[in-house]
Amino acid sequence: MAVDGNSTTTLAPKRERTGWYIYDWANSAFSTTVITVFLGPFLTSVTEQAAGCAIDADDCTAKVYPLGIPVATGSYFPYLVSLSVLLTVFILPVMGAVADRAPRKKPLLAGAAFTGAAATVAMAFVTGDRYLLGGVLFIVANIAFGAAIVVYHSFLPLLAGPDDRDRISSRGWAIGYLGGGVLLLLNLIAVMSLSEDGNPQRTLDLARWSIVSAGVWWAAFTIVPLLWLREHPGAAAVVGEPRGNVLTDGFKQLGHTLKGMRAYPLTLFFLGAYLIYNDGIQTVISLASQFGSEELHLDQSTMILTILIVQFLAFGGALLLGALAARIGARKTILIALALWLGVVIAAYWLPEGEPLPFMLLGAGIGLVMGGSQALSRSLFSQLIPAGKEGEYFGFYEISDKGTSWLGPLFFGLIFQVTNSYRTGIVSLVVFFLVGGLLLAFVPIRRAIVAAGNTPPRLI
């Protein structure tokens, strides 16, 4: 397979591309079933038990004391998320540097994925008041999830040439949403079928086993890409550069990359634009349920059904926007998607209280634009990476995805504190889509691709 810049000039074999898609199917179970739906309420309930509250307590004001620090039970899980994000800021770029220099990427993917899956499966032991065990397992799983994603992303520039990459990325993202939706649907059917009224412990147990199922799903389907993906040696292996310890070399190379990134200001410009508009996307996704329950007073069944609508429509939306990118280019398609995101947050301001149908329709709109805007951003960024730096640059890309997601929630929280209105808070997020979209529009993408030493696609 010939190489031009950081891009292959031909498509990888279908079997290899399918293996790459299947990893998205595998890991989406963690982000959907664990993070989006079950883990927050489950771990909060365990923490409340540790603080001496009843499982079904409506308002638990007691505290727990991890490492002697007083923590409100409702704050424990958000603090864990923040801690895991902080740790990924240091770990993911190093993981990317190691992936670029390692002669074999697949063992890194396997190590990270199976570590995360094992930590998720080990949630089976988080019973009674074992909130500390649950916290440690979550941090390990979330960091491993991000590390595996960095290695997974680094395969993309090696699977397709510039003109095929948008389609490949969109298809992988779509299959991921489908996989996450399928497992979530199965778990929700199990929870609704096996729950017993007046038995909160049964509900808690079902949530725990739903989390465990995501770990099993993640591990089982990871076997497919490990079998079907080909090895793509890191840059040092290709040019025959002598290597010492891969880990220490990874740290050294990361330092060189941080200095070298100044030579690619247009790539950094794109990364800044992505950081801003993607933060708006992540904030809408993370706060939609809170907006629906607190402002619109919708019940949990409506929230769950809306999540499923988002998941399955995101499958079609990613493919649809991928097809549109093939006609008009990735950047134009992303800008259209950001305009649609503007429409979503403006429409949210006018949603009527207590009526589930308009909220579900809004969820459908989110699903249609969510997958495509993220998938095309990934493929476009892959065009801006210098040869042999795929893992390192995607390590920084993942930080902008996870490590900066505090900007939108912070802005939302400040607006809410001033106005005491969720509606004003949600509509204020138009700033992220406007600013991020304007910055993206001003990035000279074709020049940025050439500056990175790569061949531009026919359409951008």
Side-chain angles (χ1 to χ4, degrees):
M1 190 179 297
V3 176
D4 180 13
N6 76 329
S7 310
T8 61
T9 57
T10 59
L11 271 176
K14 183 177 180 181
R15 175 185 174 93
E16 185 176 4
R17 284 180 279 133
T18 302
W20 189 77
Y21 301 149
I22 293 299
Y23 186 71
D24 222 327
W25 170 284
N27 73 38
S28 291
F30 178 79
S31 58
T32 303
T33 290
V34 178
I35 301 297
T36 303
V37 178
F38 287 107
L39 186 62
F42 168 75
L43 201 51
T44 300
S45 293
V46 173
T47 306
E48 289 174 348
Q49 288 187 73
C53 302
I55 297 177
D56 55 349
D58 292 329
D59 184 19
C60 179
T61 59
K63 291 181 171 62
V64 289
Y65 296 86
L67 304 178
I69 302 169
V71 175
T73 56
S75 298
Y76 182 61
F77 181 67
Y79 286 165
L80 288 174
V81 174
S82 297
L83 178 58
S84 67
V85 164
L86 178 63
L87 292 173
T88 61
V89 168
F90 299 98
I91 293 173
L92 297 193
V94 175
M95 184 66 172
V98 170
D100 286 336
R101 297 183 64 79
R104 300 175 64 206
K105 291 178 184 285
K106 290 200 293 185
L108 294 175
L109 178 63
F114 288 141
T115 297
T120 306
V121 171
M123 287 285 183
F125 300 103
V126 181
T127 57
D129 59 357
R130 296 176 179 173
Y131 76 101
L132 284 175
L133 175 62
V136 171
L137 290 174
F138 165 68
I139 290 173
V140 171
N142 207 32
I143 292 173
F145 174 79
I149 285 287
V150 169
V151 181
Y152 166 71
H153 284 342
S154 73
F155 276 93
L156 176 59
L158 308 171
L159 295 177
D163 291 316
D164 294 308
R165 211 168 294 165
D166 292 337
R167 177 170 57 87
I168 299 300
S169 182
S170 297
R171 191 169 293 177
W173 216 286
I175 289 174
Y177 277 117
L178 185 61
V182 167
L183 181 64
L184 178 60
L185 178 61
L186 294 174
N187 279 320
L188 292 176
I189 290 173
V191 168
M192 289 187 291
S193 301
L194 300 176
S195 293
E196 297 176 353
D197 290 338
N199 188 353
Q201 182 61 52
R202 179 67 171 267
T203 303
L204 195 63
D205 290 341
L206 289 170
R208 182 172 65 254
W209 290 112
S210 295
I211 293 168
V212 170
S213 75
V216 174
W217 178 286
W218 185 3
F221 284 105
T222 294
I223 294 172
V224 177
L226 293 177
L227 291 175
W228 290 2
L229 281 171
R230 289 177 53 245
E231 286 292 1
H232 295 272
V238 171
V239 300
E241 179 184 326
R243 296 187 305 275
N245 181 280
V246 171
L247 181 59
T248 57
D249 282 353
F251 275 99
K252 293 176 183 177
Q253 183 58 36
L254 178 60
H256 293 314
T257 298
L258 287 170
K259 295 178 182 177
M261 288 180 83
R262 291 177 294 183
Y264 305 100
L266 296 180
T267 298
L268 295 179
F269 195 177
F270 172 86
L271 194 60
Y274 171 77
L275 181 157
I276 294 171
Y277 72 71
N278 187 63
D279 206 79
I281 293 173
Q282 297 300 323
T283 304
V284 173
I285 294 170
S286 62
L287 295 177
S289 294
Q290 184 180 7
F291 177 76
S293 60
E294 299 297 327
E295 179 68 32
L296 304 181
H297 304 292
L298 300 173
D299 58 28
Q300 187 180 23
S301 61
T302 299
M303 299 292 109
I304 291 172
L305 184 56
T306 303
I307 290 171
L308 288 172
I309 290 172
V310 170
Q311 283 294 125
F312 287 111
L313 282 182
F315 166 76
L319 296 178
L320 180 64
L321 291 185
L324 181 61
R327 292 179 175 272
I328 66 173
R331 178 169 62 174
K332 294 185 182 73
T333 306
I334 294 170
L335 290 172
I336 290 172
L338 294 180
L340 295 173
W341 273 109
L342 279 173
V344 165
V345 295
I346 291 171
Y349 182 85
W350 301 102
L351 286 179
E353 182 179 326
E355 297 186 23
L357 182 58
F359 184 75
M360 291 180 185
L361 290 174
L362 187 72
I366 290 174
L368 287 174
V369 297
M370 180 172 65
S373 54
Q374 294 175 313
L376 293 174
S377 296
R378 175 175 66 181
S379 60
L380 189 56
F381 183 68
S382 75
Q383 312 271 9
L384 306 176
I385 301 173
K389 306 288 186 182
E390 295 86 6
E392 292 173 60
Y393 275 73
F394 271 119
F396 288 102
Y397 182 87
E398 274 301 294
I399 286 176
S400 75
D401 188 10
K402 297 175 182 295
T404 58
S405 57
W406 57 272
L407 288 172
L410 176 61
F411 187 72
F412 180 94
L414 291 173
I415 295 296
F416 178 80
Q417 185 169 334
V418 172
T419 65
N420 200 35
S421 168
Y422 284 100
R423 292 181 188 271
T424 306
I426 203 78
V427 80
S428 69
L429 297 175
V430 298
V431 172
F432 289 85
F433 299 109
L434 282 173
V435 174
L438 285 173
L439 289 176
L440 176 61
F442 283 111
V443 178
I445 295 293
R446 190 173 297 275
R447 182 149 57 94
I449 294 173
V450 173
N454 300 319
T455 302
R458 183 175 55 88
L459 294 171
I460 296 176

